[in-house]
PDB file of all heavy atoms in Angstrom:
ATOM      1  N   ARG A   1      92.632 108.645  33.197  1.00 98.00           N
ATOM      2  CA  ARG A   1      91.464 108.731  32.336  1.00 98.00           C
ATOM      3  C   ARG A   1      90.306 109.232  33.211  1.00 98.00           C
ATOM      4  O   ARG A   1      89.871 108.531  34.218  1.00 98.00           O
ATOM      5  CB  ARG A   1      91.127 107.361  31.785  1.00 98.00           C
ATOM      6  CG  ARG A   1      89.867 107.378  30.852  1.00 98.00           C
ATOM      7  CD  ARG A   1      89.659 106.050  30.126  1.00 98.00           C
ATOM      8  NE  ARG A   1      90.831 105.713  29.273  1.00 98.00           N
ATOM      9  CZ  ARG A   1      90.628 105.077  28.082  1.00 98.00           C
ATOM     10  NH1 ARG A   1      89.413 104.835  27.626  1.00 98.00           N
ATOM     11  NH2 ARG A   1      91.684 104.727  27.375  1.00 98.00           N
ATOM     12  N   GLU A   2      89.643 110.298  32.795  1.00 97.00           N
ATOM     13  CA  GLU A   2      88.482 110.848  33.536  1.00 97.00           C
ATOM     14  C   GLU A   2      87.193 110.258  32.942  1.00 97.00           C
ATOM     15  O   GLU A   2      86.268 109.985  33.691  1.00 97.00           O
ATOM     16  CB  GLU A   2      88.470 112.412  33.348  1.00 97.00           C
ATOM     17  CG  GLU A   2      89.741 113.095  33.848  1.00 97.00           C
ATOM     18  CD  GLU A   2      89.886 113.028  35.318  1.00 97.00           C
ATOM     19  OE1 GLU A   2      89.014 112.561  36.056  1.00 97.00           O
ATOM     20  OE2 GLU A   2      91.005 113.326  35.822  1.00 97.00           O
ATOM     21  N   GLN A   3      87.145 110.105  31.614  1.00 95.00           N
ATOM     22  CA  GLN A   3      86.028 109.377  30.960  1.00 95.00           C
ATOM     23  C   GLN A   3      86.382 108.905  29.606  1.00 95.00           C
ATOM     24  O   GLN A   3      87.348 109.410  28.999  1.00 95.00           O
ATOM     25  CB  GLN A   3      84.781 110.323  30.941  1.00 95.00           C
ATOM     26  CG  GLN A   3      84.920 111.563  30.013  1.00 95.00           C
ATOM     27  CD  GLN A   3      83.675 112.471  30.032  1.00 95.00           C
ATOM     28  OE1 GLN A   3      83.109 112.637  31.042  1.00 95.00           O
ATOM     29  NE2 GLN A   3      83.251 112.861  28.814  1.00 95.00           N
ATOM     30  N   ASP A   4      85.549 107.947  29.165  1.00 94.00           N
ATOM     31  CA  ASP A   4      85.817 107.278  27.805  1.00 94.00           C
ATOM     32  C   ASP A   4      85.406 108.201  26.608  1.00 94.00           C
ATOM     33  O   ASP A   4      86.095 108.418  25.655  1.00 94.00           O
ATOM     34  CB  ASP A   4      85.226 105.983  27.677  1.00 94.00           C
ATOM     35  CG  ASP A   4      85.815 104.962  28.609  1.00 94.00           C
ATOM     36  OD1 ASP A   4      87.064 105.068  28.858  1.00 94.00           O
ATOM     37  OD2 ASP A   4      85.083 104.013  29.062  1.00 94.00           O
ATOM     38  N   SER A   5      84.138 108.665  26.681  1.00 92.00           N
ATOM     39  CA  SER A   5      83.581 109.367  25.550  1.00 92.00           C
ATOM     40  C   SER A   5      82.716 110.547  25.937  1.00 92.00           C
ATOM     41  O   SER A   5      81.766 110.390  26.678  1.00 92.00           O
ATOM     42  CB  SER A   5      82.720 108.384  24.711  1.00 92.00           C
ATOM     43  OG  SER A   5      82.185 108.980  23.623  1.00 92.00           O
ATOM     44  N   PRO A   6      83.152 111.800  25.598  1.00 94.00           N
ATOM     45  CA  PRO A   6      84.415 112.075  24.933  1.00 94.00           C
ATOM     46  C   PRO A   6      85.577 111.832  25.890  1.00 94.00           C
ATOM     47  O   PRO A   6      85.415 112.071  27.067  1.00 94.00           O
ATOM     48  CB  PRO A   6      84.271 113.521  24.501  1.00 94.00           C
ATOM     49  CG  PRO A   6      83.341 114.080  25.547  1.00 94.00           C
ATOM     50  CD  PRO A   6      82.320 113.013  25.822  1.00 94.00           C
ATOM     51  N   TYR A   7      86.724 111.393  25.318  1.00 96.00           N
ATOM     52  CA  TYR A   7      87.842 111.068  26.075  1.00 96.00           C
ATOM     53  C   TYR A   7      88.420 112.275  26.778  1.00 96.00           C
ATOM     54  O   TYR A   7      88.664 113.352  26.128  1.00 96.00           O
ATOM     55  CB  TYR A   7      88.964 110.498  25.196  1.00 96.00           C
ATOM     56  CG  TYR A   7      90.180 110.024  25.892  1.00 96.00           C
ATOM     57  CD1 TYR A   7      90.105 109.172  27.008  1.00 96.00           C
ATOM     58  CD2 TYR A   7      91.433 110.386  25.438  1.00 96.00           C
ATOM     59  CE1 TYR A   7      91.316 108.732  27.577  1.00 96.00           C
ATOM     60  CE2 TYR A   7      92.657 109.993  26.028  1.00 96.00           C
ATOM     61  CZ  TYR A   7      92.486 109.138  27.148  1.00 96.00           C
ATOM     62  OH  TYR A   7      93.702 108.710  27.712  1.00 96.00           O
ATOM     63  N   GLN A   8      88.549 112.200  28.085  1.00 97.00           N
ATOM     64  CA  GLN A   8      89.113 113.232  28.865  1.00 97.00           C
ATOM     65  C   GLN A   8      90.122 112.665  29.835  1.00 97.00           C
ATOM     66  O   GLN A   8      89.931 111.574  30.419  1.00 97.00           O
ATOM     67  CB  GLN A   8      87.986 113.959  29.705  1.00 97.00           C
ATOM     68  CG  GLN A   8      87.029 114.715  28.863  1.00 97.00           C
ATOM     69  CD  GLN A   8      85.982 115.520  29.663  1.00 97.00           C
ATOM     70  OE1 GLN A   8      86.025 115.529  30.957  1.00 97.00           O
ATOM     71  NE2 GLN A   8      85.013 116.111  28.997  1.00 97.00           N
ATOM     72  N   TRP A   9      91.258 113.421  29.992  1.00 98.00           N
ATOM     73  CA  TRP A   9      92.302 112.838  30.783  1.00 98.00           C
ATOM     74  C   TRP A   9      92.961 114.042  31.544  1.00 98.00           C
ATOM     75  O   TRP A   9      92.854 115.185  31.134  1.00 98.00           O
ATOM     76  CB  TRP A   9      93.393 112.152  29.980  1.00 98.00           C
ATOM     77  CG  TRP A   9      93.876 112.872  28.754  1.00 98.00           C
ATOM     78  CD1 TRP A   9      93.349 113.062  27.521  1.00 98.00           C
ATOM     79  CD2 TRP A   9      95.151 113.656  28.752  1.00 98.00           C
ATOM     80  NE1 TRP A   9      94.158 113.870  26.728  1.00 98.00           N
ATOM     81  CE2 TRP A   9      95.272 114.258  27.464  1.00 98.00           C
ATOM     82  CE3 TRP A   9      96.151 113.882  29.719  1.00 98.00           C
ATOM     83  CZ2 TRP A   9      96.314 115.064  27.081  1.00 98.00           C
ATOM     84  CZ3 TRP A   9      97.193 114.717  29.369  1.00 98.00           C
ATOM     85  CH2 TRP A   9      97.303 115.291  28.078  1.00 98.00           C
ATOM     86  N   SER A  10      93.690 113.649  32.578  1.00 98.00           N
ATOM     87  CA  SER A  10      94.442 114.545  33.392  1.00 98.00           C
ATOM     88  C   SER A  10      95.723 113.979  33.773  1.00 98.00           C
ATOM     89  O   SER A  10      96.066 112.847  33.496  1.00 98.00           O
ATOM     90  CB  SER A  10      93.644 115.089  34.608  1.00 98.00           C
ATOM     91  OG  SER A  10      93.343 113.930  35.446  1.00 98.00           O
ATOM     92  N   ILE A  11      96.587 114.824  34.466  1.00 98.00           N
ATOM     93  CA  ILE A  11      97.894 114.325  34.889  1.00 98.00           C
ATOM     94  C   ILE A  11      97.849 113.947  36.398  1.00 98.00           C
ATOM     95  O   ILE A  11      97.408 114.719  37.206  1.00 98.00           O
ATOM     96  CB  ILE A  11      98.988 115.421  34.637  1.00 98.00           C
ATOM     97  CG1 ILE A  11      99.119 115.706  33.214  1.00 98.00           C
ATOM     98  CG2 ILE A  11     100.324 114.883  35.256  1.00 98.00           C
ATOM     99  CD1 ILE A  11      99.693 114.600  32.331  1.00 98.00           C
ATOM    100  N   GLY A  12      98.292 112.748  36.661  1.00 98.00           N
ATOM    101  CA  GLY A  12      98.473 112.325  38.048  1.00 98.00           C
ATOM    102  C   GLY A  12      99.966 111.982  38.330  1.00 98.00           C
ATOM    103  O   GLY A  12     100.807 112.425  37.612  1.00 98.00           O
ATOM    104  N   GLN A  13     100.148 111.217  39.412  1.00 97.00           N
ATOM    105  CA  GLN A  13     101.554 110.839  39.735  1.00 97.00           C
ATOM    106  C   GLN A  13     101.503 109.547  40.554  1.00 97.00           C
ATOM    107  O   GLN A  13     100.499 109.228  41.147  1.00 97.00           O
ATOM    108  CB  GLN A  13     102.241 111.920  40.456  1.00 97.00           C
ATOM    109  CG  GLN A  13     101.694 112.303  41.827  1.00 97.00           C
ATOM    110  CD  GLN A  13     102.484 113.346  42.567  1.00 97.00           C
ATOM    111  OE1 GLN A  13     103.329 113.013  43.434  1.00 97.00           O
ATOM    112  NE2 GLN A  13     102.312 114.601  42.236  1.00 97.00           N
ATOM    113  N   VAL A  14     102.613 108.850  40.495  1.00 97.00           N
ATOM    114  CA  VAL A  14     102.761 107.579  41.252  1.00 97.00           C
ATOM    115  C   VAL A  14     104.242 107.525  41.730  1.00 97.00           C
ATOM    116  O   VAL A  14     105.143 107.949  41.074  1.00 97.00           O
ATOM    117  CB  VAL A  14     102.371 106.384  40.389  1.00 97.00           C
ATOM    118  CG1 VAL A  14     103.368 106.243  39.139  1.00 97.00           C
ATOM    119  CG2 VAL A  14     102.395 105.062  41.184  1.00 97.00           C
ATOM    120  N   PRO A  15     104.501 106.986  42.947  1.00 96.00           N
ATOM    121  CA  PRO A  15     105.853 106.835  43.384  1.00 96.00           C
ATOM    122  C   PRO A  15     106.659 105.861  42.522  1.00 96.00           C
ATOM    123  O   PRO A  15     106.063 104.849  42.068  1.00 96.00           O
ATOM    124  CB  PRO A  15     105.667 106.254  44.814  1.00 96.00           C
ATOM    125  CG  PRO A  15     104.260 106.594  45.258  1.00 96.00           C
ATOM    126  CD  PRO A  15     103.446 106.667  44.015  1.00 96.00           C
ATOM    127  N   LEU A  16     107.826 106.165  42.242  1.00 95.00           N
ATOM    128  CA  LEU A  16     108.665 105.322  41.412  1.00 95.00           C
ATOM    129  C   LEU A  16     108.812 103.910  42.020  1.00 95.00           C
ATOM    130  O   LEU A  16     108.882 102.934  41.342  1.00 95.00           O
ATOM    131  CB  LEU A  16     110.047 105.943  41.244  1.00 95.00           C
ATOM    132  CG  LEU A  16     110.104 107.125  40.319  1.00 95.00           C
ATOM    133  CD1 LEU A  16     111.508 107.717  40.274  1.00 95.00           C
ATOM    134  CD2 LEU A  16     109.708 106.755  38.912  1.00 95.00           C
ATOM    135  N   ALA A  17     108.858 103.844  43.262  1.00 93.00           N
ATOM    136  CA  ALA A  17     108.952 102.514  43.961  1.00 93.00           C
ATOM    137  C   ALA A  17     107.763 101.613  43.598  1.00 93.00           C
ATOM    138  O   ALA A  17     107.972 100.360  43.551  1.00 93.00           O
ATOM    139  CB  ALA A  17     109.023 102.668  45.473  1.00 93.00           C
ATOM    140  N   ASP A  18     106.616 102.164  43.320  1.00 94.00           N
ATOM    141  CA  ASP A  18     105.456 101.392  42.999  1.00 94.00           C
ATOM    142  C   ASP A  18     105.454 100.839  41.556  1.00 94.00           C
ATOM    143  O   ASP A  18     104.933  99.752  41.273  1.00 94.00           O
ATOM    144  CB  ASP A  18     104.136 102.198  43.237  1.00 94.00           C
ATOM    145  CG  ASP A  18     103.865 102.409  44.684  1.00 94.00           C
ATOM    146  OD1 ASP A  18     104.615 101.825  45.552  1.00 94.00           O
ATOM    147  OD2 ASP A  18     103.031 103.262  45.050  1.00 94.00           O
ATOM    148  N   VAL A  19     106.039 101.649  40.683  1.00 92.00           N
ATOM    149  CA  VAL A  19     105.934 101.307  39.212  1.00 92.00           C
ATOM    150  C   VAL A  19     107.217 100.618  38.733  1.00 92.00           C
ATOM    151  O   VAL A  19     107.181  99.959  37.672  1.00 92.00           O
ATOM    152  CB  VAL A  19     105.704 102.606  38.434  1.00 92.00           C
ATOM    153  CG1 VAL A  19     106.904 103.450  38.351  1.00 92.00           C
ATOM    154  CG2 VAL A  19     105.233 102.235  37.001  1.00 92.00           C
ATOM    155  N   ALA A  20     108.315 100.702  39.458  1.00 87.00           N
ATOM    156  CA  ALA A  20     109.544 100.130  39.053  1.00 87.00           C
ATOM    157  C   ALA A  20     109.447  98.636  38.862  1.00 87.00           C
ATOM    158  O   ALA A  20     108.939  97.834  39.681  1.00 87.00           O
ATOM    159  CB  ALA A  20     110.630 100.396  40.151  1.00 87.00           C
ATOM    160  N   ASN A  21     109.964  98.186  37.673  1.00 83.00           N
ATOM    161  CA  ASN A  21     110.013  96.774  37.303  1.00 83.00           C
ATOM    162  C   ASN A  21     108.719  96.128  37.269  1.00 83.00           C
ATOM    163  O   ASN A  21     108.611  94.845  37.355  1.00 83.00           O
ATOM    164  CB  ASN A  21     110.951  95.995  38.263  1.00 83.00           C
ATOM    165  CG  ASN A  21     112.395  96.451  38.147  1.00 83.00           C
ATOM    166  OD1 ASN A  21     112.932  96.695  37.028  1.00 83.00           O
ATOM    167  ND2 ASN A  21     113.095  96.640  39.285  1.00 83.00           N
ATOM    168  N   GLN A  22     107.647  96.841  37.122  1.00 86.00           N
ATOM    169  CA  GLN A  22     106.262  96.229  37.045  1.00 86.00           C
ATOM    170  C   GLN A  22     105.832  96.218  35.619  1.00 86.00           C
ATOM    171  O   GLN A  22     106.169  96.980  34.756  1.00 86.00           O
ATOM    172  CB  GLN A  22     105.287  97.034  37.911  1.00 86.00           C
ATOM    173  CG  GLN A  22     105.628  97.149  39.353  1.00 86.00           C
ATOM    174  CD  GLN A  22     105.645  95.784  40.028  1.00 86.00           C
ATOM    175  OE1 GLN A  22     104.669  95.028  39.924  1.00 86.00           O
ATOM    176  NE2 GLN A  22     106.717  95.486  40.740  1.00 86.00           N
ATOM    177  N   GLU A  23     104.886  95.220  35.260  1.00 89.00           N
ATOM    178  CA  GLU A  23     104.317  95.133  33.977  1.00 89.00           C
ATOM    179  C   GLU A  23     102.798  94.977  34.094  1.00 89.00           C
ATOM    180  O   GLU A  23     102.287  94.337  35.024  1.00 89.00           O
ATOM    181  CB  GLU A  23     104.893  93.896  33.206  1.00 89.00           C
ATOM    182  CG  GLU A  23     106.336  94.058  32.793  1.00 89.00           C
ATOM    183  CD  GLU A  23     106.755  92.886  31.930  1.00 89.00           C
ATOM    184  OE1 GLU A  23     106.385  91.769  32.263  1.00 89.00           O
ATOM    185  OE2 GLU A  23     107.548  93.112  30.974  1.00 89.00           O
ATOM    186  N   LYS A  24     102.146  95.629  33.151  1.00 92.00           N
ATOM    187  CA  LYS A  24     100.630  95.555  33.115  1.00 92.00           C
ATOM    188  C   LYS A  24     100.174  94.774  31.988  1.00 92.00           C
ATOM    189  O   LYS A  24     100.285  95.160  30.817  1.00 92.00           O
ATOM    190  CB  LYS A  24     100.137  96.953  33.131  1.00 92.00           C
ATOM    191  CG  LYS A  24      98.554  97.046  32.936  1.00 92.00           C
ATOM    192  CD  LYS A  24      98.085  98.503  32.860  1.00 92.00           C
ATOM    193  CE  LYS A  24      98.478  99.182  31.573  1.00 92.00           C
ATOM    194  NZ  LYS A  24      98.046 100.543  31.370  1.00 92.00           N
ATOM    195  N   ALA A  25      99.639  93.584  32.225  1.00 92.00           N
ATOM    196  CA  ALA A  25      99.097  92.712  31.131  1.00 92.00           C
ATOM    197  C   ALA A  25      97.709  93.126  30.847  1.00 92.00           C
ATOM    198  O   ALA A  25      97.066  93.885  31.534  1.00 92.00           O
ATOM    199  CB  ALA A  25      99.117  91.291  31.522  1.00 92.00           C
ATOM    200  N   MET A  26      97.192  92.692  29.679  1.00 95.00           N
ATOM    201  CA  MET A  26      95.837  92.994  29.388  1.00 95.00           C
ATOM    202  C   MET A  26      94.889  92.273  30.363  1.00 95.00           C
ATOM    203  O   MET A  26      95.076  91.031  30.663  1.00 95.00           O
ATOM    204  CB  MET A  26      95.435  92.503  27.953  1.00 95.00           C
ATOM    205  CG  MET A  26      96.054  93.400  26.885  1.00 95.00           C
ATOM    206  SD  MET A  26      95.522  92.851  25.247  1.00 95.00           S
ATOM    207  CE  MET A  26      93.731  92.993  25.343  1.00 95.00           C
ATOM    208  N   PRO A  27      93.855  92.912  30.848  1.00 96.00           N
ATOM    209  CA  PRO A  27      92.939  92.216  31.771  1.00 96.00           C
ATOM    210  C   PRO A  27      92.051  91.233  31.008  1.00 96.00           C
ATOM    211  O   PRO A  27      91.837  91.385  29.820  1.00 96.00           O
ATOM    212  CB  PRO A  27      92.069  93.414  32.322  1.00 96.00           C
ATOM    213  CG  PRO A  27      92.152  94.467  31.314  1.00 96.00           C
ATOM    214  CD  PRO A  27      93.515  94.343  30.676  1.00 96.00           C
ATOM    215  N   PRO A  28      91.712  90.134  31.660  1.00 96.00           N
ATOM    216  CA  PRO A  28      90.933  89.112  31.015  1.00 96.00           C
ATOM    217  C   PRO A  28      89.640  89.591  30.329  1.00 96.00           C
ATOM    218  O   PRO A  28      89.266  89.050  29.272  1.00 96.00           O
ATOM    219  CB  PRO A  28      90.554  88.139  32.167  1.00 96.00           C
ATOM    220  CG  PRO A  28      91.620  88.356  33.152  1.00 96.00           C
ATOM    221  CD  PRO A  28      91.988  89.804  33.057  1.00 96.00           C
TER     222      PRO A  28
END
């Protein structure tokens, strides 16, 4: 996410080892 309004986004990348078996809960 580059910015909220107007919404702008781009493509990034992350190592599979970092994301494997991970879960992202809603922040408080």
